[in-house]
Amino acid sequence: MTRWLAVGPEADMVRACLMDGDILLEQSLFRDEEAALAAYPDHAEKAVRVGAGAPHATPTAILPNLVAQVPAVTQETPPDLLGGWARLRVAGVAASRPHWEGVVLDAGSESNHWVHVSADEIVSFQGAATPRLIAALDGAPVADDEAADSTLSRPERLSAHLHGALLAGDARAVTGHLLGAEIAAAKPYWLGQEVIVLSQTDTLAALLRGQGADAVTAAPDDMLARGLAARAAGG
């Protein structure tokens, strides 16, 4: 097989993935692109740039018909941007479920994106800054279910709920209230849909199941590997 490299920014780092055909050999995070390319000098010249090029507007094919780039996806209403690595993770979900229609919740370190997939296209998506808010307010990795349910039922009370949780020093409640508000706002996306949550934990999927949603968790790295494999097959 032919080895190739995918490299591009994600959050405040640069991710590099070394592939052997459609097999992910290794991935690493670097401070910048120069350091990433220096780590793989044999593959730097022809590296696939993830997130490079003009963004594709929705609706658009999940994977672009491009050899050297995986551009981000943009949306006019509401204004939003889905990064190239997130696009590859969505492609991994689609590759593992041919002709699937549903919603992929890509739970990132800075933003969450609810991505509606249909007919092998990214139809629309909605982003949320919840991970940043959790970090800024010193929330916990695990949410308090009662706090989440409380804000899900009364999202207009979010600020008051957070005030109480912060006074009590309840980090799990902080996370619960913030996730509850996000799930309430994203209801048009998940209601009546199968939701695949790309996350290291089952927290979001469990909260969605508590609302009667059909939600399961999948490992982000596994879906990224599948997405890169799909890109190799198509490229």
Side-chain angles (χ1 to χ4, degrees):
M1 291 188 180
T2 302
R3 292 195 174 189
W4 57 281
L5 184 70
V7 62
E10 186 163 39
D12 58 350
M13 302 289 285
V14 171
R15 183 185 299 275
C17 293
L18 181 63
M19 301 288 294
D20 189 4
D22 60 358
I23 299 173
L24 176 60
L25 297 179
E26 62 182 61
Q27 62 172 312
S28 301
L29 292 173
F30 298 88
R31 66 182 183 277
D32 55 34
E33 185 175 291
E34 182 180 358
L37 295 176
Y40 301 98
D42 294 340
H43 310 288
E45 185 176 345
K46 295 184 178 181
V48 173
R49 295 311 206 274
V50 178
H56 293 171
T58 55
T60 186
I62 296 173
L63 272 181
N65 187 24
L66 296 171
V67 174
Q69 297 175 339
V70 181
V73 180
T74 190
Q75 180 173 266
E76 185 174 341
T77 306
D80 212 334
L81 185 73
L82 184 72
W85 292 110
R87 186 176 188 176
L88 283 166
R89 288 189 288 269
V90 172
V93 173
S96 64
R97 296 166 172 80
H99 311 299
W100 178 75
E101 178 173 351
V103 171
V104 178
L105 171 49
D106 186 61
S109 60
E110 294 189 344
S111 301
N112 294 337
H113 279 98
W114 302 74
V115 185
H116 180 205
V117 173
S118 179
D120 295 323
E121 289 188 334
I122 294 175
V123 178
S124 65
F125 56 96
Q126 175 174 302
T130 309
R132 294 187 189 185
L133 295 173
I134 291 172
L137 295 175
D138 294 324
V142 178
D144 180 273
D145 291 346
E146 289 187 10
D149 289 342
S150 177
T151 303
L152 258 165
S153 301
R154 298 286 301 278
E156 74 278 8
R157 296 279 298 164
L158 173 62
S159 183
H161 289 163
L162 286 173
H163 179 69
L166 290 169
L167 280 177
D170 191 341
R172 291 184 61 185
V174 168
T175 299
H177 290 311
L178 288 168
L179 290 178
E182 177 180 340
I183 291 171
K187 191 172 184 178
Y189 272 81
W190 57 260
L191 187 64
Q193 296 280 1
E194 181 182 2
V195 183
I196 310 298
V197 182
L198 304 185
S199 175
Q200 302 291 352
T201 73
D202 195 48
T203 298
L204 277 161
L207 291 174
L208 285 165
R209 289 193 296 270
Q211 298 301 306
D214 180 4
V216 297
T217 299
D221 284 352
D222 289 350
M223 293 303 106
L224 176 58
R226 288 176 179 267
L228 287 164
R231 187 265 161 205

